[in-house]
Amino acid sequence: MKQFQPSDAIKRLPEQFFAKLAGKVNRYVEAGYDIINLGQGNPDQPTPRHVIDALQAAAEKPAYHKYPPFRGQPFLKKAASEFYKREFGVDLDPETEVAVLFGGKAGLVEVSQCLLNKGDVALVPDPGYPDYWSGVAMAEADMHMMPLLEQNDFLPDYEAIPEELLSKAKLMFLNYPNNPTAAQATEAFFNETVSFANDQDLCVVHDFAYGAIGFDGERPRSFLETKGAKEVGIEIYTLSKTYNMAGWRVGFAVGNPSVVESINILQDHFYVSLFSAVQEAAAEALLGSQECVDELRATYESRRNVLINGLHDIGWDVTSPSGSFFAWLKVPDRFTSEQFADFLLDNVQIVVAPGNGFGEHGEGYVRVGLLTSEDRLKEAVERIKSLNLF
Ligand SMILES: Cc1ncc(COP(=O)(O)O)c(C=O)c1O
């Protein structure tokens, strides 16, 4: 078979670190082991019934079998705007400040194409969600990794960024509640971020994928709640986690109208828009009963308690997450992240994500997902206890 060479843009894309992990896990699954997979970020609960019903009814509408309008259905953009007003008190113009996305991932990769040229710099959190790297690589821009350190509550230190890089920086990715560290942003930090972005003339892209998941009565804050935030950036919201809709591929970018316009222009060339029935169901998720979100939050909080209390009981000194559905656990001193992840997989068939897969400063940690039942989390704790590590 003739082999066509991929373009330089494809060659520049970073290797998918977690694909390698999936390969290792599959070998154990095929060999019939009882694996407890805490390594992924895939919500385990079904989409709420009323959202599925909305999709089924909407799928019957012949008007929706035609091309949807470019840039999404006006009713979905209006729903996103009403959702932001209700949840965060943020005003958004549905037509100029909301772009409909095929999931958050698409927007996060697209925004680099929209704002970066060859040689520009993007400021990227380390550890961080690897999809930020992909768009930057496609745009032939450079990355400066901002360490997220435990002693700084996993917030970046803007003063530590070298001056010569700052002058080239056009874009900065942030993500709170954070994947993988589970850290939260404070009001003071977002205020500092707005000043920094203004001073440096860069665009902030706040990835708010876990915006609905805060524990102990604390609600995660939207970057757009910060005074002046819309002047300097956008926020990417997804329905994947809030409504267990990861398979539906729907999200939106909100905020600065010039960035929203660039995303829309790029998408005019790639797509038309999402299936209108999906858009109608998404609007139902955003505007219908939010009881399902309260229940989901309570489920994750209760799982968090089971896991963290269990690990404390066996002597592992871990930090309890206050949001997201991850726990970020320090590995015992004698292991690297990858060695520890392999050790758990090989000896007790528990899968965790090694922290170094999220960047150099993820070394020394593993990420554990709260995406299985309390019984399975208890079983995981029992298996770890049997290793007598602590
Ligand atoms: C930090 C973060 N951002 C964005 C996403 C993308 O979500 P989606 O593309 O499903 O909207 C994820 C998914 O795991 C995530 O963890």
Side-chain angles (χ1 to χ4, degrees):
M1 185 69 79
K2 197 166 156 61
Q3 283 294 313
F4 294 99
Q5 274 303 305
S7 66
D8 291 346
I10 295 295
K11 287 187 196 151
R12 275 197 304 276
L13 287 169
E15 198 192 335
Q16 286 278 9
F17 180 88
F18 292 101
K20 198 170 85 185
L21 178 68
K24 263 189 225 169
V25 174
N26 276 342
R27 284 198 289 281
Y28 276 97
V29 172
E30 278 158 20
Y33 283 91
D34 174 24
I35 298 273
I36 303 181
N37 194 340
L38 308 177
Q40 292 174 340
N42 207 346
D44 61 313
Q45 303 284 307
T47 304
R49 186 72 246 167
H50 65 284
V51 180
I52 299 172
D53 289 345
L55 174 73
Q56 286 179 342
E60 297 287 346
K61 296 185 180 174
Y64 287 178
H65 304 165
K66 301 181 175 177
Y67 286 116
F70 274 97
R71 303 187 173 202
Q73 290 282 2
F75 63 71
L76 178 55
K77 291 184 271 191
K78 193 159 170 284
S81 157
E82 285 174 26
F83 170 85
Y84 255 73
K85 183 72 182 169
R86 186 190 72 217
E87 295 293 322
F88 309 112
V90 170
D91 288 307
L92 293 167
D93 177 334
E95 282 310 312
T96 59
E97 296 179 339
V98 180
V100 175
L101 303 172
F102 281 82
K105 181 179 164 80
L108 289 163
V109 176
E110 285 163 7
V111 73
S112 288
Q113 320 296 305
C114 291
L115 297 179
L116 297 176
N117 291 311
K118 189 173 177 175
D120 289 343
V121 168
L123 305 177
V124 180
D126 173 6
Y129 180 61
D131 280 348
Y132 310 142
W133 313 341
S134 320
V136 179
M138 297 274 280
E140 285 191 75
D142 299 318
M143 287 199 291
H144 173 70
M145 308 306 270
M146 301 184 291
L148 304 187
L149 306 177
E150 193 159 354
Q151 67 258 33
N152 297 337
D153 300 322
F154 300 110
L155 300 170
D157 176 1
Y158 297 139
E159 295 194 350
I161 304 169
E163 198 56 50
E164 68 277 13
L165 285 173
L166 274 182
S167 60
K168 294 192 208 155
K170 297 277 162 24
L171 180 64
M172 173 167 72
F173 288 101
L174 294 176
N175 161 228
Y176 295 97
N178 183 255
N179 176 10
T181 68
Q184 302 266 13
T186 57
E187 185 178 2
F189 170 71
F190 276 158
N191 281 329
E192 183 194 349
T193 299
V194 169
S195 314
F196 173 69
N198 266 319
D199 291 349
Q200 301 303 330
D201 204 15
L202 55 79
C203 177
V204 177
V205 177
H206 182 236
D207 176 1
F208 203 30
Y210 300 93
I213 311 172
F215 303 142
D216 310 311
E218 290 291 322
R219 186 180 61 83
R221 59 176 34 253
S222 158
F223 176 60
L224 296 183
E225 286 177 70
T226 319
K227 193 162 176 286
K230 212 193 275 182
E231 299 296 310
V232 296
I234 60 163
E235 189 153 80
I236 306 255
Y237 199 92
T238 171
L239 278 71
S240 293
K241 323 286 169 166
T242 310
Y243 302 104
N244 292 323
M245 291 173 69
W248 296 54
R249 312 313 303 137
V250 50
F252 42 88
V254 286
N256 188 282
S258 65
V259 182
V260 165
E261 176 64 13
S262 293
I263 292 174
N264 278 329
I265 291 175
L266 185 77
Q267 295 196 143
D268 286 346
H269 292 266
F270 272 109
Y271 322 110
V272 180
S273 188
L274 288 72
F275 179 30
S276 293
V278 167
Q279 298 194 52
E280 190 165 309
E284 171 61 26
L286 295 168
L287 301 181
S289 167
Q290 300 297 300
E291 222 172 286
C292 54
V293 185
D294 294 335
E295 282 166 13
L296 189 67
R297 208 180 281 120
T299 298
Y300 289 139
E301 183 166 331
S302 177
R303 289 176 180 178
R304 179 217 43 187
N305 295 342
V306 163
L307 177 76
I308 300 296
N309 293 342
L311 294 178
H312 283 166
D313 287 347
I314 65 167
W316 192 355
D317 180 21
V318 295
T319 305
S320 182
S322 62
S324 84
F325 49 50
F326 298 115
W328 185 237
L329 310 179
K330 234 186 198 143
V331 306
D333 282 345
R334 60 186 184 280
F335 295 97
T336 65
S337 296
E338 238 173 315
Q339 283 167 346
F340 189 62
D342 284 345
F343 184 78
L344 290 183
L345 180 59
D346 293 337
N347 291 289
V348 288
Q349 287 73 56
I350 293 174
V351 183
V352 296
N356 59 313
F358 302 94
E360 192 185 318
H361 289 89
E363 181 51 56
Y365 296 86
V366 289
R367 190 194 71 180
V368 168
L370 301 169
L371 301 168
T372 188
S373 68
E374 292 184 19
D375 281 348
R376 292 295 274 172
L377 290 170
K378 281 183 195 154
E379 162 77 15
V381 171
E382 282 306 309
R383 291 190 195 182
I384 296 171
K385 183 179 178 188
S386 73
L387 295 166
N388 287 318
L389 286 165
F390 304 99

